[in-house]
Amino acid sequence: MANTSDAKPNGAPRGSTVKHIETELMNDIAAGALAPGERLDEVKLTERFGVSRTPVREALSRLVAQGILIPGEKRGVRVAQYTREELSQVFEAMHEIEAACARIAAQRLSLLARVEIEAAQAACIAAAEIGERSAYQRANEDLHEAIYRATGNPYMAELASEFRRRTGPFRAKKFATKADLVASAQSHEKLIASIFSEDSDEASNGMRAHMAVSFRQTLAAN
Amino acid sequence: MANTSDAKPNGAPRGSTVKHIETELMNDIAAGALAPGERLDEVKLTERFGVSRTPVREALSRLVAQGILIPGEKRGVRVAQYTREELSQVFEAMHEIEAACARIAAQRLSLLARVEIEAAQAACIAAAEIGERSAYQRANEDLHEAIYRATGNPYMAELASEFRRRTGPFRAKKFATKADLVASAQSHEKLIASIFSEDSDEASNGMRAHMAVSFRQTLAAN
DNA sequence: ACATTCAAGTTTGTATACAGAATGATCAAT
DNA sequence: ATTGATCATTCTGTATACAAACTTGAATGT
């Protein structure tokens, strides 16, 4: 049945619905509301967001492009799920990208970047000392993002952020105990020192060492 | 006017039309048939491929996700075009990714990978000696792809390939003279030696050095 | 001459319709 | 009981329709 006159308006309303669906789904996945391996049904999403299949589809395909969702065997898309080996490969790639960011950041370190990194680390320490897991996680993300920005290279930064989003669901359950937080914050200290040394190789090795600590915690939780 | 009975069949034919459009456009861009900055018109593509806007749109948005196209200021999409600074940033990111590949490849070097790399380099030398530019370019791509495979990490490999595609249009005009080919092939020799040393740091530095040579040629041509 | 407003023409985002594939379920035959 | 075939039921890809936003440019007023 075609629109008569009282039908829902369509056309192009303000801030792209697609973007909204995309971030909403990303949050769900990051928060674990959608478990790895779970299948997403286009029509269900259609109902949930009160839109047609077209924007849902577009949002899904963007998430697929980012590796957050993967195309199902024959049909549909599912939340990315990795075998132990795949997980370690994705993390290896992320480690290298992070290391590259640290390398470039060390080369170009600006005063602003220094301050932003120090501020984020201060927040990490504060959160670790009182054992606030979710605050620590936020501060930890901030610190890494500050390092990405410190590269002065938006392409590197975007790449790193993308991998961080992609691995988010697996890193979520990483910090089990207060001791984990403290250990992570201490690992940050060495990492930051290596970047502030302004020696590329040392910074990149520093980041690899930090990521190794971090990955050990992640693997323990998966 | 709606389908009556003799209309074109739609539904889902064989190998996704979207994929076809995507690769076709990628080729056009790589071959320079679509110049950087050029605007792509959805409707024109619709006519060219004899399909509706839906698959065209999907193909375009995938290319946007890969950074090969970029969304226009207000409307439409255009072939990615970079200022000198942006170009150097994209290349910096690519260099780091390539260096990471070299690092991992050196760590895990298998006999098969060694052979593949040597074969590709042999092809490079052969092409350089007789000054066959397009053959050299192919062999050069093969060599880099062989290194990506040598990482044993499909995520790293895909990432590197993606950046290579993205920078393709700018590297295309790189090899101006036979001397360029020979210089590139010689640079490969050192690169390969550094990877075959199975020393991570040396391999990653080796790749960075090679990419620097390569980038100098690229900048000269842009 | 310049700014402002308004109408026509494009372009985009979203909705909906529909054909063909994949899946699953029912039922007959071995 | 297991296998195989047939049919109904999703699900997916593509086509088409249409409304809102943007662009353009001409007409109007200052």
Side-chain angles (χ1 to χ4, degrees), chain A residues 123-174:
Chain A
C124 284
I125 290 175
E129 275 175 357
I130 55 177
E132 291 240 8
R133 209 183 98 170
S134 74
Y136 186 84
Q137 280 173 338
R138 238 173 302 122
N140 185 41
E141 299 297 309
D142 282 352
L143 173 58
H144 282 273
E145 292 287 342
I147 295 172
Y148 305 160
R149 274 197 305 279
T151 62
N153 184 330
Y155 301 96
M156 270 310 310
E158 176 52 29
L159 186 59
S161 293
E162 207 170 280
F163 261 85
R164 202 145 255 278
R165 286 194 291 273
R166 193 166 164 180
T167 55
F170 305 97
R171 289 181 295 102
K173 14 182 179 158
K174 186 172 65 166

Side-chain angles (χ1 to χ4, degrees), chain B:
Chain B
M1 190 186 298
N3 281 352
T4 48
S5 61
D6 59 339
K8 259 186 276 181
N10 56 2
R14 70 207 92 254
S16 186
T17 314
V18 172
K19 193 79 179 209
H20 174 239
I21 299 175
E22 189 184 347
T23 53
E24 203 71 8
L25 288 178
M26 245 173 53
N27 290 343
D28 283 0
I29 292 169
L34 292 166
E38 192 167 336
R39 182 158 180 288
L40 276 76
D41 186 58
E42 287 182 4
V43 178
K44 291 242 180 72
L45 294 174
T46 277
E47 286 157 14
R48 166 169 168 196
F49 292 106
V51 299
S52 78
R53 270 178 60 220
T54 312
V56 168
R57 237 145 172 284
E58 199 156 323
L60 292 183
S61 75
R62 284 194 196 195
L63 291 170
V64 169
Q66 290 175 59
I68 293 174
L69 301 179
I70 50 180
E73 305 279 314
K74 274 290 159 187
R75 234 159 171 62
V77 301
R78 12 188 95 254
V79 178
Q81 185 181 33
Y82 301 104
T83 64
R84 218 126 207 284
E85 182 177 6
E86 289 166 341
L87 198 64
S88 107
Q89 289 171 337
V90 173
F91 272 81
E92 177 175 68
M94 177 169 76
H95 290 189
E96 291 298 331
I97 291 162
E98 295 265 349
C101 286
R103 168 183 296 276
I104 299 173
Q107 269 170 37
R108 290 221 240 300
L109 199 60
S110 71
L111 181 56
L112 173 61
R114 245 178 217 273
V115 171
E116 287 184 343
I117 290 170
E118 276 166 349
Q121 169 64 352
C124 284
I125 291 176
E129 275 176 357
I130 56 178
E132 291 241 8
R133 208 183 98 169
S134 74
Y136 185 84
Q137 280 174 337
R138 238 172 301 121
N140 185 40
E141 299 297 308
D142 283 352
L143 172 58
H144 282 273
E145 292 286 342
I147 295 172
Y148 305 159
R149 275 197 303 280
T151 62
N153 184 331
Y155 301 95
M156 268 314 305
E158 177 52 29
L159 186 59
S161 293
E162 208 170 279
F163 262 84
R164 206 145 252 279
R165 285 195 291 274
R166 193 165 165 181
T167 57
F170 306 96
R171 289 180 294 103
K173 13 181 181 159
K174 187 172 65 169
F175 300 117
T177 68
K178 184 179 163 183
D180 288 339
L181 304 186
V182 173
S184 172
Q186 279 171 357
S187 175
H188 281 169
E189 289 291 342
K190 285 188 215 145
L191 162 63
I192 292 171
S194 76
I195 293 174
F196 285 6
S197 78
E198 303 194 16
D199 175 322
S200 302
D201 290 333
E202 191 162 330
S204 109
N205 288 331
M207 179 62 91
R208 258 188 294 272
H210 169 61
M211 294 303 281
V213 169
S214 166
F215 186 51
R216 230 169 283 138
Q217 296 180 337
T218 299
L219 260 194
N222 281 277

Side-chain angles (χ1 to χ4, degrees), chain A residues 48-122:
Chain A
R48 166 170 168 194
F49 292 106
V51 299
S52 79
R53 271 180 59 222
T54 313
V56 168
R57 229 137 184 290
E58 200 156 320
L60 292 181
S61 76
R62 285 164 88 154
L63 291 170
V64 168
Q66 290 176 55
I68 293 175
L69 301 179
I70 49 179
E73 306 278 314
K74 275 289 161 187
R75 233 167 172 61
V77 303
R78 12 188 97 252
V79 179
Q81 186 182 34
Y82 300 105
T83 64
R84 218 128 207 285
E85 182 178 7
E86 288 166 343
L87 198 64
S88 107
Q89 289 171 336
V90 173
F91 272 81
E92 177 174 68
M94 177 169 76
H95 289 9
E96 291 298 332
I97 291 163
E98 295 266 349
C101 286
R103 167 184 295 276
I104 299 173
Q107 268 170 38
R108 288 221 240 300
L109 200 61
S110 71
L111 181 58
L112 173 62
R114 244 178 218 272
V115 170
E116 287 185 343
I117 290 171
E118 276 167 349
Q121 169 65 351

